[in-house]
Amino acid sequence: MNPKIHIQNLSLSIDRQPILKNVNLTIPKNKITVILGSSGCGKTTLLKSLNRLTDLIPGVQRSGEIILDGVNILNGGQDLVDIRQKMGLLAQRPYPLPMSIYNNITFGLRISGRHNRQFLDKRVEHYLKMVNLWEEVKDRLKDPASALSIGQQQRLCLARGLAVDPEIILADEPTSALDPISSRMIEEKFLELKNQYTIVLVTHILRQARRMADYVVLMYLGEVIEQGTPDELFNNPQHPVTKSYLSGQFY
C-alpha cells in the first residue's frame, strides 16, 4: 500500500460526548477508500476531521494525529486554507454557490489570484468536461447554478472542487440524493478520477461499496471495527460486528 494519510489514535468529542474513539487508519494514495457504517457511527465526523471542518463545531475536543504526506495537520499553526484546498469535500446534497454556472467554477480560481479571462474560460471548459457536464451547459454558462437539476448540481460541485487542484476528494454519501442515472455518472467519474486523486467515500450502501472500493473501512459506534481490501472485508470478515453488518442484521 502506498499511503496518502495516516490517522493515529484519533479521538473526538463534542461537549464531552465521544464521537470518534481511538481511530487508527491508513488511506492509500490514488485509490478509493470506502468508509462503511450505520447512521451515527462517526463516518461524517471522521471525513470532516480530515480537512478540519470539525474545528468549526463548538465544544469540540480532539486528540491524536492526522498525518498528510508526513505532516501532522492537527498541529497548531497549520494553514487551514491550504489543508482544505488539498481536500475538496463533496457533500450529501449539492450546494452550488448562488451565482452563475461559470462563476461557480471560477470562484476558487479567482480567490487564488487567477483572473485572466482566457485562462478562466479554458478552466471552466476543462473541469466541466471532466465531470461530463460541458455538453449539457455550454450554452447557458451565465444561467444560475440553481437552475440545474440535482444531479447536474452535484457534478457542478465536483467540478468546482476539482478546479482548485486538490489532491484528495472527500465524498460524504454524494449519491444519496440523486436518481439512479445521476448516481451512476458520479460513480463512474470517481472510478476515472482515482488515477489522479485519492478518494475517500462515505456510504451506507453495500452495493456501492462493492462496486467502488479499493480499500474498505467499517465503523461502529465511533470505532474502526475492521479495515482491509474488498476481498478481505467482504469475503472473509474477521470481526463479529462486520459479519453482522454484511448479513444485514443492522444498517
Side-chain angles (χ1 to χ4, degrees), residues 140-153:
R140 50 183 181 131
L141 295 176
K142 294 182 180 180
D143 288 0
S146 58
L148 298 174
S149 70
I150 295 294
Q152 289 173 326
Q153 288 181 25

Side-chain angles (χ1 to χ4, degrees), residues 24 27 57 109 112 122 127 132 141 166 197 229-230 245:
N24 289 276
I27 295 173
I57 303 173
L109 297 169
S112 62
K122 288 181 178 179
Y127 288 106
N132 300 331
L141 295 176
Y197 304 90
T229 66
Y245 185 85

Side-chain angles (χ1 to χ4, degrees), residues 117-177:
R117 182 64 186 231
Q118 187 175 17
F119 169 82
L120 293 176
D121 287 349
K122 288 181 178 179
R123 293 292 84 186
V124 168
E125 181 175 352
H126 174 74
Y127 288 106
L128 288 176
K129 283 182 174 178
M130 277 189 74
V131 300
N132 300 331
L133 193 56
W134 174 251
E135 292 299 326
E136 297 171 43
V137 303
K138 64 182 180 181
D139 296 324
R140 50 183 181 131
L141 295 176
K142 294 182 180 180
D143 288 0
S146 58
L148 298 174
S149 70
I150 295 294
Q152 289 173 326
Q153 288 181 25
Q154 191 68 302
R155 282 184 283 150
L156 177 66
C157 289
L158 178 58
R160 185 182 70 209
L162 295 175
V164 296
D165 300 319
E167 299 173 14
I168 299 162
I169 300 171
L170 307 175
D172 186 9
E173 304 207 32
T175 64
S176 63

